[in-house]
Each structure stands twice: as C-alpha cells, then as structure tokens.
Amino acid sequence: MLKDAVKMTPDFPGLLEFLGRSYQDLGDTTEAERIFTEGQQRFPNSAEFFYLLGVIHWQKGHREGRADLASRGLEELRRACAIDQRYFDWFGALFSALWLDGRKDEAVDVLRTWSRAHPEDPQGAAWLQSYEDSLKAGSGVGPRRGAGRRSGD
C-alpha cells in the first residue's frame, strides 16, 4: 500500500522516507538503503535522506571494516546538518559518530554549531558544556551523569 502511495504522490519525500523506515524497522536495511538512495537522488535538498543514509553507511562501514563507507556516512551526516539545522537528530548522529571514531574535537564542534543555531536550547547548551569540560579534563569519556538526556527521553 505504501508503494502505491509513493507512486501516486511522487513529489512527496515524506512517503518515500516512511517507506524506507518501514523496511528498516523490518530489518531489511538493504531495501531501506535503496529507497533512501532513491530519495536522496530525487530530493537532493532533503536532509532526511542524507541523515538516514549517513547512519546506515557509517554503521555498515564499521561493521564491515570499510573505512571508505564509514567516511561516506560521515559526509552524508555533515551534508544533512548543512542542509537543515532545525533538527537535533542529524547533529546528534554526526556528533556520536565522530565521538565514537575518536574525533572528539570535531564532535564537540558539531555541538557548538548546534548551540549557535539554537541558543534557545538549554539541553544542547548543557551537552556542549559537559563535553567541552570532558575535553579540557582530558578524559574524553563523555558528559556528567544526567547531562546526556533530553527532557522526555
């Protein structure tokens, strides 16, 4: 039924995203990746497809020991952040990937970018402060207890 809806409304990226996420939820990452790639090609200014593919490619690159694919995932996440700065999802994913890759200074820069774009977000500011403190202390282990949760999580 979703495939039919996508065919009937080909100019609506949300349906394509939902279809891909449905496959992802069912564990069919290959089909989700194919659909997200189609979405990225058809809607090159839609950050969601860059974000979704970035996560898939970064995870798959690490799982398969393919640095090129993990790097591609990081670039897709960066592109999502550049296209649309309204949602923390893409910033959070890029931050996490960089942090886990040991690129902690770059990761904190991602939080700085988010905080500049969203000075009204006290949780984002708290995360930034915690991770900056972590870098200054040289531990690089992450934020203080409780600082890593958004209200409602």
Side-chain angles (χ1 to χ4, degrees), residues 99 102 104 130-131 133-143:
W99 189 269
K104 295 180 180 0
S130 294
Y131 281 99
D133 291 349
S134 175
L135 286 180
K136 287 176 192 169
S139 68
V141 295

Side-chain angles (χ1 to χ4, degrees), residues 123 149-153:
Q123 186 60 60
R149 293 183 181 252
R150 289 183 90 66
S151 58
D153 284 353

Side-chain angles (χ1 to χ4, degrees), residues 86-104:
R86 291 179 295 164
Y87 304 106
F88 187 77
D89 292 9
W90 5 114
F91 285 85
L94 178 57
F95 166 81
S96 296
L98 289 167
W99 189 269
L100 291 170
D101 280 351
R103 298 162 69 172
K104 295 180 180 0

Side-chain angles (χ1 to χ4, degrees), residues 38-143:
E38 178 186 338
Q40 189 181 64
Q41 292 165 351
R42 287 177 51 197
F43 305 101
N45 293 319
S46 181
E48 291 85 349
F49 296 112
F50 286 92
Y51 158 68
L52 293 163
L53 282 169
V55 171
I56 287 173
H57 292 151
W58 185 84
Q59 290 175 343
K60 189 175 182 180
H62 280 277
R63 198 171 43 250
E64 295 177 1
R66 291 186 50 203
D68 63 317
L69 194 55
S71 180
R72 178 178 165 192
L74 287 175
E75 289 310 309
E76 288 165 328
L77 291 170
R78 280 183 184 21
R79 179 83 174 115
C81 292
I83 291 172
D84 187 348
Q85 295 189 349
R86 291 179 295 164
Y87 304 106
F88 187 77
D89 292 9
W90 5 114
F91 285 85
L94 178 57
F95 166 81
S96 296
L98 289 167
W99 189 269
L100 291 170
D101 280 351
R103 298 162 69 172
K104 295 180 180 0
D105 289 323
E106 287 178 72
V108 171
D109 280 341
V110 170
L111 293 181
R112 287 185 187 113
T113 300
W114 172 261
S115 289
R116 281 191 302 273
H118 296 276
E120 78 288 350
D121 180 8
Q123 186 60 60
W127 284 344
L128 173 58
Q129 186 63 56
S130 294
Y131 281 99
E132 284 180 329
D133 291 349
S134 175
L135 286 180
K136 287 176 192 169
S139 68
V141 295

